[in-house]
Amino acid sequence: MTERSKSADSSWGKVSTVEDIGHLVRAKRKQLGVLQEEAAGLSGVGTKFLSQLENGKETAEIGRVLQVLKSMGLELYIYPRAAKPFKD
């Protein structure tokens, strides 16, 4: 279990696991005040997929994950570890 999942803090930042992505997606959905069914529909995915993503399903299809992130106004950055463009 990651630090993010242990705490109630849903702060944005470094992602190390699928579980981290799921927790951030759930936090953003709740911040927006939408139900899973609504968020899934707006994202073009099924409710089952969104639920599994929010629960950290390791085999979630990356294309659909990116689709959900985009529809929720979240962005994903990838950069070399040594670059550290953001604070940890």
Side-chain angles (χ1 to χ4, degrees):
M1 192 175 285
T2 64
E3 279 301 311
R4 183 176 284 119
S5 60
K6 285 181 189 175
S7 72
D9 180 22
S10 63
S11 61
W12 313 105
K14 184 177 178 182
V15 171
S16 300
T17 66
V18 178
E19 186 179 23
D20 290 342
I21 293 172
H23 286 274
L24 292 170
V25 166
R26 178 178 286 129
K28 181 64 174 180
R29 178 178 60 77
K30 289 186 176 209
Q31 181 185 52
L32 294 171
V34 293
L35 300 173
Q36 273 187 344
E37 294 81 10
E38 296 168 314
L42 293 170
S43 300
V45 300
T47 304
K48 181 178 178 179
F49 176 82
L50 184 59
S51 174
Q52 290 174 338
L53 173 60
E54 288 186 1
N55 286 298
K57 183 179 180 188
E58 297 265 336
T59 58
E61 184 183 329
I62 189 71
R64 291 169 69 189
V65 171
L66 293 173
Q67 193 175 322
V68 169
L69 294 175
K70 182 178 180 182
S71 73
M72 295 194 136
L74 298 171
E75 295 183 350
L76 178 68
Y77 291 84
I78 297 177
Y79 57 89
R81 192 173 288 134
K84 294 205 179 256
F86 305 104
K87 294 180 181 177
D88 284 336

